[in-house]
Amino acid sequence: MIKKIIFDLDNTLINWEDTYFTYAVENTCKDLNITYSNKILELVINSINNYESLYNKFTTENLTKVFNNMAQENSINFKFTENFTKKILFYFSCCIPKQIDSNILNILDYLHKKYELVILTNWFEKEQAIRLKNSGLLPYFTNVYGTEKIKIKPNTEAFQTAIGTCKPEECIMIGDNFSSDILGALNSNINAIFLNKKSVDFNELIHKNNLEKFLNSNITNTISKNNSPFVLCIQSLTELLNIL
């Protein structure tokens, strides 16, 4: 029997817009009396995108190091400080859509009455909790797990922390990143639902990663009998209403 649902956050529940990077960098530069430039913006974006290939936990110290290393590699004569990084994180925590899709609220309202809901995110816990609060989504979740203290997805440690006292087969991971969310969950013996927002070839992903054994045509029976783990693909979160 399923007891807990583990949600990814960005681009699963809250879409991340490229304009958020510009907003955060522009305001950080303004606060610190730094001349804003596209070079700084691009460096911040590239540093964050590359961070997970360099470190297995998020810290402001390491993120500042990545900023400075990339600045050096690109011959940018600028010294990033940890204060700059903390300012960036503050402004990122302000980045949410002007209006949350009512379908998301309806889905979470339905699910949290049946299951315990938690967030497992590859980002800073406090800032993500703020975004959830400002979006009106935080009350649906019992915990938000960031990656300052635990290793980032797809490391098993992240999923073991998220399941808590539940058994792996009593949990489902829902996320839009096949590598970190889905493979990470399956490798931790946790059920997984892939939110395929970009309409990639799901069957090709399954074949490429040798995951055929996790497919099951009778998903309702699979969920009720804990024949775990399984993997399922959906195009929209609204499909969860017919599955869970």
Side-chain angles (χ1 to χ4, degrees):
M1 181 178 178
I2 300 299
K3 296 181 179 180
K4 178 182 285 190
I5 299 177
I6 307 165
F7 275 98
D8 171 56
L9 181 55
D10 286 301
N11 294 319
T12 298
L13 292 175
I14 299 178
N15 288 335
W16 181 266
E17 306 292 343
D18 289 341
T19 54
Y20 295 162
F21 284 111
T22 304
Y23 165 81
V25 175
E26 282 184 341
N27 281 283
T28 296
C29 288
K30 181 179 180 181
D31 287 354
L32 300 178
N33 295 315
I34 297 168
T35 301
Y36 170 83
S37 69
N38 286 331
K39 283 188 176 181
I40 293 179
L41 173 63
E42 291 173 6
L43 186 146
V44 168
I45 294 173
N46 291 333
S47 296
I48 292 173
N49 287 339
N50 291 331
Y51 185 95
E52 293 179 23
S53 65
L54 301 171
Y55 296 98
N56 58 23
K57 293 182 181 179
F58 271 97
T59 68
T60 55
E61 179 183 2
N62 286 340
L63 186 52
T64 305
K65 287 181 181 179
V66 175
F67 288 154
N68 282 311
N69 289 341
M70 189 159 288
Q72 186 176 10
E73 291 172 5
N74 290 276
S75 300
I76 297 175
N77 187 23
F78 182 80
K79 178 69 174 179
F80 290 89
T81 64
E82 196 160 347
N83 190 31
F84 179 95
T85 303
K86 290 179 179 178
K87 283 281 185 180
I88 283 282
L89 296 182
F90 166 75
Y91 283 112
F92 279 157
S93 72
C94 301
C95 293
I96 59 171
K98 292 182 180 179
Q99 184 173 356
I100 296 297
D101 186 347
S102 60
N103 286 327
I104 298 294
L105 295 172
N106 292 335
I107 293 163
L108 293 178
D109 187 60
Y110 166 78
L111 292 176
H112 99 285
K113 294 174 182 177
K114 299 179 64 177
Y115 312 98
E116 179 184 2
L117 308 183
V118 300
I119 293 288
L120 180 60
T121 172
N122 280 2
W123 194 242
F124 294 84
E125 185 176 302
K126 176 184 175 182
E127 284 70 21
Q128 294 292 58
I130 291 172
R131 294 177 69 225
L132 283 165
K133 181 180 179 180
N134 292 340
S135 300
L137 304 183
L138 189 59
Y140 296 109
F141 298 93
T142 58
N143 275 298
V144 178
Y145 297 103
T147 47
E148 297 99 316
K149 299 177 182 179
I150 59 175
K151 291 182 179 180
I152 62 176
K153 297 174 290 186
N155 285 284
T156 299
E157 179 183 325
F159 295 94
Q160 290 175 335
T161 300
I163 67 174
T165 57
C166 291
K167 299 176 181 178
E169 62 268 21
E170 294 173 333
C171 302
I172 297 177
M173 175 74 210
I174 301 175
D176 70 298
N177 188 300
F178 196 85
S179 177
S180 62
D181 297 325
I182 306 309
L183 290 181
L186 294 175
N187 288 334
S188 303
N189 295 315
I190 296 171
N191 307 298
I193 297 179
F194 176 45
L195 178 58
N196 190 6
K197 298 176 74 172
K198 296 182 179 180
S199 298
V200 299
D201 191 328
F202 179 64
N203 291 326
E204 183 177 336
L205 286 174
I206 293 296
H207 179 71
K208 180 180 178 181
N209 293 283
N210 298 313
L211 299 176
E212 284 83 359
K213 65 180 179 180
F214 296 118
L215 293 172
N216 193 311
S217 58
N218 191 345
I219 196 67
T220 302
N221 186 59
T222 299
I223 291 174
S224 64
K225 291 191 175 181
N226 276 352
N227 296 323
S228 181
F230 65 79
V231 62
L232 180 66
C233 178
I234 59 175
Q235 302 290 326
S236 168
L237 289 176
T238 56
E239 296 178 52
L240 295 176
L241 299 176
N242 297 321
I243 299 170
L244 301 171

